[in-house]
Amino acid sequence: ILNVEQSPQSLHVQEGDSTNFTCSFPSSNFYALHWYRWETAKSPEALFVMTLNGDEKKKGRISATLNTKEGYSYLYIKGSQPEDSATYLCATRGGNTGFQKLVFGTGTRLLVSP
Amino acid sequence: DAGVTQSPTHLIKTRGQQVTLRCSPKSGHDTVSWYQQALGQGPQFIFQYYEEEERQRGNFPDRFSGHQFPNYSSELNVNALLLGDSALYLCASSLGTGTQQETQYFGPGTRLLVL
């Protein structure tokens, strides 16, 4: 069974702060790692798909790194803005659970105060 | 380009009843997956449909069933509802390539409350 864990569970920062979250997952039979941003009352929005060890992805002020050998991914937000307030979910595919299903962590809830 | 749509947005049922949730995939997508998100948890995979067949199933009882239509839209049916079925039900669509880069795009969900 794949267990995906995210930390911290929640985070409250001030506008302009930079922040980062962690996603940990079993490294065996890794296939892909997904990051989503989920604002309240909206659909989860796909941020990144990461597949190779050492991958780095960037979208505006948000970036992510991947270490498949040790089983973790970091998501960074530079200069947080109130509109970054959301729950950030990571999910993996692979292992003995099949390559179709996403296995999610419980998310990191970010609140950015003006 | 319409994204993934789901209906209804909210639903209230009583124990023992049956419910049907609907999902229309993003234009051009042929694969639909369903997830259940209970309070305080991440979304849990229920099953995935591709070419009108169930391709993969998660650890959910047979009370949960689904269907995919020729236009790729999908339904999730839950029979004999239990209080524990109260959750947000998310639908996701994708191109069923099975590649590492395949991304699932989510709808806004249907909130089900079982009383």
Side-chain angles (χ1 to χ4, degrees):
Chain A
I1 298 176
L2 278 179
N3 291 314
V4 179
E5 298 180 356
Q6 292 188 247
S7 61
Q9 188 174 23
S10 62
L11 199 52
H12 184 186
V13 301
Q14 297 298 309
E15 182 175 358
D17 289 347
S18 293
T19 186
N20 65 85
F21 325 132
T22 303
C23 173
S24 301
F25 53 88
S27 56
S28 60
N29 297 317
F30 172 83
Y31 194 59
L33 185 287
H34 298 251
W35 281 101
Y36 287 87
R37 174 170 61 195
W38 195 358
E39 295 179 65
T40 302
K42 295 188 177 179
S43 305
E45 173 195 357
L47 288 175
F48 306 115
V49 181
M50 308 180 78
T51 59
L52 298 175
N53 185 47
D55 250 356
E56 291 189 27
K57 300 270 185 172
K58 188 174 181 181
K59 184 178 182 178
R61 294 178 291 98
I62 304 176
S63 60
T65 61
L66 178 67
N67 183 320
T68 61
K69 294 185 179 180
E70 297 182 39
Y72 64 84
S73 176
Y74 293 140
L75 187 79
Y76 300 92
I77 302 179
K78 184 178 178 181
S80 302
Q81 300 296 309
E83 58 265 32
D84 295 328
S85 297
T87 295
Y88 291 82
L89 288 166
C90 72
T92 61
R93 283 192 291 146
N96 60 359
T97 62
F99 297 106
Q100 308 303 329
K101 66 185 281 188
L102 292 171
V103 178
F104 283 91
T106 54
T108 293
R109 182 174 294 183
L110 174 67
L111 177 62
V112 183
S113 296
Chain B
D1 175 31
V4 179
T5 59
Q6 293 186 242
S7 63
T9 56
H10 294 82
L11 204 51
I12 299 175
K13 292 284 188 178
T14 57
R15 281 177 296 175
Q17 285 189 311
Q18 178 264 344
V19 68
T20 298
L21 310 181
R22 296 176 175 83
C23 172
S24 291
K26 188 176 167 69
S27 178
H29 285 182
D30 57 8
T31 301
V32 173
S33 304
W34 287 93
Y35 293 82
Q36 179 196 66
Q37 190 193 29
L39 201 61
Q41 297 183 18
Q44 302 288 315
F45 177 79
I46 303 175
F47 41 54
Q48 184 182 87
Y49 277 84
Y50 173 69
E51 292 189 343
E52 301 180 56
E53 297 285 333
E54 184 183 287
R55 180 155 70 173
Q56 189 176 359
R57 188 179 182 91
N59 295 323
F60 280 80
D62 292 344
R63 298 186 297 108
F64 289 77
S65 63
H67 188 77
Q68 186 178 35
F69 299 94
N71 67 353
Y72 306 121
S73 66
S74 176
E75 289 182 350
L76 164 66
N77 301 292
V78 187
N79 295 321
L81 285 166
L82 303 174
L83 296 179
D85 295 331
S86 296
L88 180 69
Y89 289 85
L90 292 164
C91 168
S93 75
S94 57
L95 278 172
T97 60
T99 62
Q100 287 179 295
Q101 293 294 332
E102 181 177 333
T103 298
Q104 295 185 18
Y105 294 86
F106 283 83
T110 294
R111 176 76 63 184
L112 172 65
L113 177 61
V114 181
L115 301 175

